Amino acid sequence: MKQSVLLLALCLMPLCVVAQESAFQADARPSVQLQGYTGSVMMMDNQLLCQASGILFNAGRIDGQVVAYAADTQFVKLHSDVTFVTRHPSGDIYFTRPDRRGHSYLYCAHTDTTKSGRPKTSVDKVDLGGYTVEHPAFTADGRIMVFSSRGKNPDRSDYDLWYSVFNEGKWQRPLNLGPRLNTSADDVAPSLYRGMLFFASNGHSADPLHFNIYSSQLISTRVTGDTVGMLQIGRSHVQRLPFNIPGLDNIDFAVDTAGAYCYFVTRTRDSVTTLHAFPGMPDGVMLWGRVSDAKGVAIPNVAIEVSSDGMAVCRTATDNDGIYRLYLRSDADYQILYRIANHFADRYAIHTAAADPERIISETRRDVVLDRIELDRRHIYMDLFGPNADVELSAYGRNQLAPLVQFLVDNPTLSATLSLSNDLTDNPNFNRYLTDSRLLSLQRHLQPLLPSSVRLTFENASPVSDATASGQSRLVVVISR
């Protein structure tokens, strides 16, 4: 690859990640091809770096979007064949480079100030007892290093995830992260974000032909309090992340906390490598559930539309089993619409939970029932006006009528007859008076929301005599042509 700047355009990703089978929508995936890509994507001092054709490249970005990348010469001073570089919280630079056999080992560049005030950098190989090191990552306090390795036998066929603890001025003997994270296949490319470990594996997925990116809590701080509780490392739940693209290797993940962007890399069978990006942090909430009719039968292909602050964010649909999954940002407000032809729609407002310290993606389930609409059939709504002799619709009542309103908005040539009754007291005259007042309230609520072409008829159906007080009110709606 030429070491000239290559201009590469990206488009923005929507703020909501939508997944069917945990995949991004195909039309919402910004990308940049990395020609000659052979190594890793990494963040270093808020710089996005990638290795291609044996050279580290610095990706130039505007508002998180990669617009250019060019060879970065600053690391040639460390060594001519640096394959991965990162900064330890102490300020030291750690990097990897291969030996003559192509096996990767770890080095540390430490800078001191001489008596004359000039900086002096010394580079030393880090003694880890002969373990190979690729893609090292450090916890925020610098006391733990996680890396991928083929162990002390570089000719073994698979990679595992390992960690080492910095103690008494040196890195201790590496320990395996265990069978909950490591598999019999390759587990590689670790990175860290707020105590969460990200890594790529072709052993956790049902598809052993491709790598996918996963996350797990590295250390259970709820149990240990800090990073010295080594027994809790590697025992957390492993989650496959929603941005993985099926049919491709998803092999690297990096978080730019300063710029609030995430980056990941995919690779095809013929080694076409692509850098993807999306705004925001990886924390999220998976809202999922089952959509069925009133009889409990699953409804496939229900359109689900997500908006926030009046702006459309994303959309998806239920699968053949009526299951949907939405990946939403943490601590955010969304409005969600579920609808399909010949059914009442459902609207739902949600404020997602704050980031979960145990999982990068927390889960919330919401099952939805969409009542089928049949013309000239009675649709019954109970107690829309709240307790006592309240005249105005309650918040519950307005919410219950929202699907009816949406249906009439979508079908403005239809008519609706609304028959309201109540037996709040054993006095029929009072009940009919209360019903008349509630019908006026109902009319004031509905008419501004509906097109003028929708014909509404309001009827007082309260009994004129022999009322038996039950404290209930009932609205019967019949929709007709």
Side-chain angles (χ1 to χ4, degrees):
M1 179 186 294
K2 295 181 180 180
Q3 296 184 21
S4 59
V5 175
L6 302 179
L7 294 179
L8 300 161
L10 276 179
C11 60
L12 283 173
M13 175 74 73
L15 294 178
C16 168
V17 179
V18 178
Q20 282 298 116
E21 300 180 355
S22 298
F24 277 146
Q25 289 179 307
D27 59 351
R29 200 178 298 133
S31 60
V32 171
Q33 285 196 3
L34 300 175
Q35 301 177 24
Y37 177 88
T38 55
S40 302
V41 164
M42 65 211 81
M43 292 300 304
M44 169 74 175
D45 298 339
N46 296 325
Q47 299 177 76
L48 180 66
L49 303 172
C50 58
Q51 186 201 20
S53 300
I55 302 170
L56 283 179
F57 284 81
N58 191 334
R61 296 169 293 159
I62 298 177
D63 294 331
Q65 294 180 264
V66 176
V67 295
Y69 65 96
D72 196 314
T73 60
Q74 63 174 310
F75 302 111
V76 176
K77 301 174 183 178
L78 300 176
H79 203 278
S80 60
D81 54 359
V82 172
T83 56
F84 188 90
V85 63
T86 187
R87 189 179 296 278
H88 186 268
S90 67
D92 290 345
I93 293 177
Y94 282 76
F95 65 95
T96 57
R97 56 171 295 266
D99 63 9
R100 293 180 179 178
R101 297 174 298 169
H103 301 142
S104 179
Y105 291 95
L106 183 65
Y107 294 79
C108 175
H110 176 75
T111 301
D112 281 320
T113 303
T114 64
K115 293 181 179 180
S116 61
R118 295 181 178 179
K120 180 181 180 182
T121 300
S122 59
V123 176
D124 298 296
K125 184 176 181 180
V126 178
D127 182 11
L128 290 173
Y131 283 78
T132 62
V133 175
E134 295 187 24
H135 218 293
F138 301 100
T139 55
D141 60 8
R143 298 165 69 184
I144 295 174
M145 174 176 60
V146 181
F147 57 94
S148 58
S149 174
R150 288 180 168 175
K152 298 177 71 173
N153 178 13
D155 297 319
R156 60 183 293 191
S157 60
D158 62 298
Y159 284 92
D160 270 354
L161 299 174
W162 297 74
Y163 74 94
S164 175
V165 181
F166 193 79
N167 191 24
E168 297 180 351
K170 64 179 182 178
W171 293 103
Q172 303 299 306
R173 178 181 177 273
L175 298 173
N176 193 282
L177 274 172
R180 188 167 293 186
L181 296 182
N182 289 310
T183 66
S184 59
D186 287 321
D187 306 280
V188 298
S191 60
L192 294 170
Y193 162 73
R194 74 163 181 83
M196 304 299 295
L197 170 67
F198 297 88
F199 64 98
S201 173
N202 60 354
H204 283 279
S205 174
D207 178 10
L209 298 178
H210 298 105
F211 282 88
N212 282 271
I213 298 172
Y214 298 85
S215 75
S216 177
Q217 187 186 25
L218 179 63
I219 302 157
S220 183
T221 54
R222 182 174 296 179
V223 177
T224 64
D226 70 358
T227 59
V228 298
M230 295 298 100
L231 292 179
Q232 297 300 322
I233 284 188
R235 295 189 178 187
S236 297
H237 176 77
V238 174
Q239 290 184 306
R240 181 179 181 272
L241 296 180
F243 51 74
N244 286 289
I245 301 176
L248 302 176
D249 283 330
N250 299 264
I251 48 178
D252 273 305
F253 180 72
V255 180
D256 178 7
T257 55
Y261 252 79
C262 295
Y263 301 89
F264 68 105
V265 173
T266 60
R267 181 178 58 208
T268 65
R269 287 185 177 180
D270 53 357
S271 298
V272 176
T273 308
T274 306
L275 173 66
H276 305 267
F278 60 92
M281 294 292 96
D283 315 89
V285 174
M286 181 179 75
L287 176 67
W288 72 283
R290 181 174 182 265
V291 180
S292 63
D293 62 19
K295 296 180 180 180
V297 178
I299 308 177
N301 301 316
V302 174
I304 303 173
E305 302 170 9
V306 182
S307 60
S308 180
D309 295 328
M311 300 292 292
V313 174
C314 54
R315 60 189 304 165
T316 186
T318 55
D319 63 16
N320 290 334
D321 298 316
I323 301 297
Y324 72 95
R325 293 178 179 85
L326 291 169
Y327 291 90
L328 309 173
R329 300 295 181 202
S330 300
D331 197 21
D333 291 305
Y334 293 97
Q335 297 77 45
I336 304 172
L337 174 64
Y338 306 78
R339 63 177 170 182
I340 192 170
N342 302 318
H343 291 76
F344 285 122
D346 179 86
R347 290 185 180 274
Y348 178 58
I350 180 175
H351 182 87
T352 54
D356 187 336
E358 298 290 321
R359 296 188 179 190
I360 200 70
I361 303 290
S362 59
E363 295 184 12
T364 298
R365 178 167 183 168
R366 181 178 187 257
D367 294 332
V368 178
V369 176
L370 299 182
D371 194 13
R372 185 173 182 83
I373 297 171
E374 297 179 22
L375 297 183
D376 302 315
R377 171 194 156 194
R378 298 170 60 184
H379 299 276
I380 298 175
Y381 302 85
M382 301 298 295
D383 297 325
L384 303 181
F385 294 87
N388 305 318
D390 294 341
V391 172
E392 300 297 328
L393 281 166
S394 65
Y396 166 80
R398 292 191 296 271
N399 187 59
Q400 289 296 101
L401 291 176
L404 171 65
V405 170
Q406 184 64 52
F407 178 74
L408 292 174
V409 168
D410 294 338
N411 299 272
T413 61
L414 298 180
S415 301
T417 300
L418 299 90
S419 300
L420 182 64
S421 64
N422 82 84
D423 54 2
L424 184 66
T425 74
D426 56 6
N427 184 330
N429 292 330
F430 178 81
N431 290 340
R432 289 184 64 80
Y433 169 77
L434 179 60
T435 298
D436 282 337
S437 300
R438 287 177 168 179
L439 283 171
L440 287 173
S441 174
L442 190 60
Q443 184 177 0
R444 288 195 301 268
H445 172 72
L446 292 177
Q447 285 186 332
L449 301 176
L450 298 175
S452 59
S453 57
V454 175
R455 299 179 300 279
L456 298 179
T457 302
F458 298 90
E459 296 179 350
N460 188 331
S462 293
V464 296
S465 63
D466 300 326
T468 301
S470 67
Q472 292 184 321
S473 67
R474 184 174 74 161
L475 175 66
V476 178
V477 179
V478 177
I479 302 172
S480 58
R481 294 195 183 278

